[in-house]
Amino acid sequence: MTGGRRLEGAVPIAGAKNSALKLMAAALLAEGTTVVEHAPRIADVSTMAEVLEALGSRIAWVDHRLAIDASQAGGHETPYELVRRMRASIVVLGPLLARHGRARVAMPGGCNIGSRKIDLHLRGLERMGASFSFDHGYLVAAAPALRGEVISLDFPSVGATENVLMAAVCASGTTVVENAAREPEIVDLAGMLTEMGAKIDGAGTTTIEIHGSGGRLLEAVSHRVVPDRIEAGTFAVAACATRGDVLLEGARAEHLDLVLAKLVEAGARVEVGDRGIRIGMDDRPAAVDFVTLPYPGFPTDLQPQMMVLLSVARGTSIATENVFESRFMFVDELNRMGADIRTEGHHAVIRGVERLSSAPARALDIRAGAATVIAALAADGVTEVSDMHFVDRGYEDLEGKLTLLGAEVERERAPRPALR
Ligand code: UD1
């Protein structure tokens, strides 16, 4: 990437990765063909398709329309090779218990951003009658019958809320999830499950109530994925970092409230219209403090990108990371590009510098990788970012979209064959 070009124009926002993956898992709860519309063409969706195929589903993926025929999905084991690639594969646990009363799921790997336990998933499902054991790296789960219970999560975990939700829709009786995650992707999943015939109240609030079907499977439906607020936020920050002006087509401002507020505090112009969100910045950003928290707080998935913007701000900002303990790892990459950031536990002190300078850099995970790309676009000179396969997990055709906006980007080799 040759830095220094303003990003200008309109960019279409894809369907949300973090929703699409869960909607795909939910297809296991119906016997017919579930269609996920507006599915992003990213490597993680491809991996989830392989997970579902390993379980016996048939997948047809044309453009952004993904059809999942789960009528023959008799399998209950997800292989290590796939779960290792993508931690979110664990989200098939709830649907498998609901459908087959058993599951054998490899223990997850995934992004390198902290210990990422699954204890809350397991405790919730245990309360509903599941039992777990571990066998040579596999989690072995059994639940002859799932029953509704009150489940109070210690932390509003996105994945735990989703696994419990998908188990509960086919359980007997009523499940109440307290301290549930409130992310728009949870609302999207609950929306699709409701279209499939599930009875769910309160999705998007801290208490979700689910009236189970008593063991009956749901109806297959067609559902359009909610727009990706993290992709939109990434382009919003990139627009600001290059002093550009970009229309985020299809982005939903109500899902980015705090992010937009922080960008405005930093000096961005934001207009919300029928086509999406238009965002631009003319001057060096002002320093802004921010704290990551579960939704509706500032998303941890936009923390690295925001750090890049603030690294060239006038003044000193403080970022606090409350969701993933190791998410500051990429700061070293950014400092190599001339940023002045010091971390102390889960706080980072960002002293704004005039400019970033190009240096060979690595994508460390999906979001840190996107942040490194933004740093390259804002830096002077040519920056080579390696390990872009991380970014391909979550961003559809990033270089194509950046080129559309006027960036000077070249891909050295084709993306990993993620698309089938
Ligand atoms: C999802 C998103 C991820 C996002 C995160 C937080 C997907 C595929 N990924 O991840 O992009 O960054 O939400 O918004 O949707 N925790 C436990 N025990 C558990 C579960 C979680 O201690 O059983 C901890 C985690 O280690 C982490 C925090 O809770 O520190 C948040 O995790 P969680 O909300 O579960 O995130 P994911 O669902 O993994």
Side-chain angles (χ1 to χ4, degrees), residues 42-389:
I42 54 176
D44 273 11
V45 166
S46 198
T47 302
M48 185 56 96
E50 285 182 60
V51 169
L52 296 179
E53 278 173 343
L55 294 167
S57 308
R58 290 183 25 202
I59 310 275
W61 194 5
V62 180
D63 293 330
H64 292 92
R65 185 176 187 276
L66 187 61
I68 305 157
D69 175 2
S71 46
Q72 308 295 321
H76 69 283
E77 175 164 334
T78 58
Y80 176 61
E81 197 272 309
L82 297 175
V83 181
R84 186 171 66 98
R85 246 193 265 159
M86 186 184 69
R87 182 182 188 279
S89 317
I90 192 73
V91 85
V92 296
L93 182 59
L96 287 177
L97 284 177
R99 182 160 175 162
H100 301 303
R102 59 186 185 143
R104 197 177 140 83
V105 180
M107 289 298 283
C111 270
N112 203 7
I113 51 171
S115 63
R116 305 197 74 165
K117 297 186 297 240
I118 55 164
D119 55 319
L120 302 175
H121 303 230
L122 304 191
R123 252 188 275 155
L125 295 168
E126 237 162 26
R127 271 192 78 81
M128 298 177 70
S131 58
F132 297 100
S133 59
F134 295 93
D135 175 35
H136 300 290
Y138 278 78
L139 171 70
V140 183
L146 287 167
R147 51 165 200 278
E149 273 293 343
V150 176
I151 294 162
S152 193
L153 297 175
D154 288 357
F155 180 88
S157 153
V158 172
T161 303
E162 290 163 339
N163 253 329
V164 168
L165 180 58
M166 287 192 272
V169 289
C170 294
S172 58
T174 299
T175 303
V176 178
V177 188
E178 294 174 345
N179 199 23
R182 291 183 278 168
E183 271 67 4
E185 294 76 25
I186 302 272
V187 177
D188 202 22
L189 173 61
M192 180 168 113
L193 292 170
T194 303
E195 289 153 21
M196 292 167 77
K199 305 256 177 302
I200 303 170
D201 294 316
T205 74
T206 52
T207 306
I208 307 179
E209 196 172 299
I210 306 122
H211 304 282
S213 71
R216 243 183 322 104
L217 285 180
L218 306 177
E219 307 260 320
V221 296
S222 171
H223 182 90
R224 187 178 167 88
V225 189
V226 70
D228 196 317
R229 66 197 163 96
I230 305 300
E231 188 200 27
T234 302
F235 279 104
V237 173
C240 294
T242 60
R243 321 270 154 93
D245 185 351
V246 170
L247 175 67
L248 311 165
E249 274 177 333
R252 303 256 291 261
E254 68 273 25
H255 294 164
L256 285 160
D257 269 349
L258 196 53
V259 173
L260 295 176
K262 287 288 165 188
L263 290 173
V264 167
E265 205 181 319
R269 275 175 286 103
V270 173
E271 276 168 46
V272 179
D274 293 346
R275 287 179 62 203
I277 306 169
R278 185 171 164 189
I279 183 154
M281 195 180 269
D282 300 325
D283 300 316
R284 253 179 98 179
V288 169
D289 297 342
F290 73 101
V291 174
T292 68
L293 281 172
Y295 191 83
F298 193 97
T300 177
D301 283 356
L302 287 173
Q303 178 258 101
Q305 299 88 318
M306 191 68 179
M307 298 261 274
V308 172
L309 180 67
L310 297 176
S311 71
V312 293
R314 273 177 281 110
T316 299
S317 314
I318 296 179
T320 305
E321 172 58 59
N322 286 318
V323 182
F324 289 113
E325 70 259 36
S326 314
R327 209 150 204 182
F328 284 146
M329 279 192 324
F330 98 108
V331 162
D332 292 341
E333 290 301 292
L334 204 49
N335 283 346
R336 287 179 47 257
M337 296 180 73
D340 180 357
I341 304 177
R342 264 182 236 168
T343 58
E344 176 77 51
H346 61 137
H347 301 290
V349 177
I350 309 149
R351 292 201 178 81
V353 297
E354 184 95 26
R355 279 224 82 145
L356 296 175
S357 65
S358 52
R362 264 185 330 134
L364 296 181
D365 64 54
I366 305 179
R367 308 304 172 187
T372 309
V373 167
I374 297 174
L377 296 172
D380 58 7
V382 180
T383 300
E384 242 178 60
V385 183
S386 58
D387 290 342
M388 281 296 289
H389 60 92

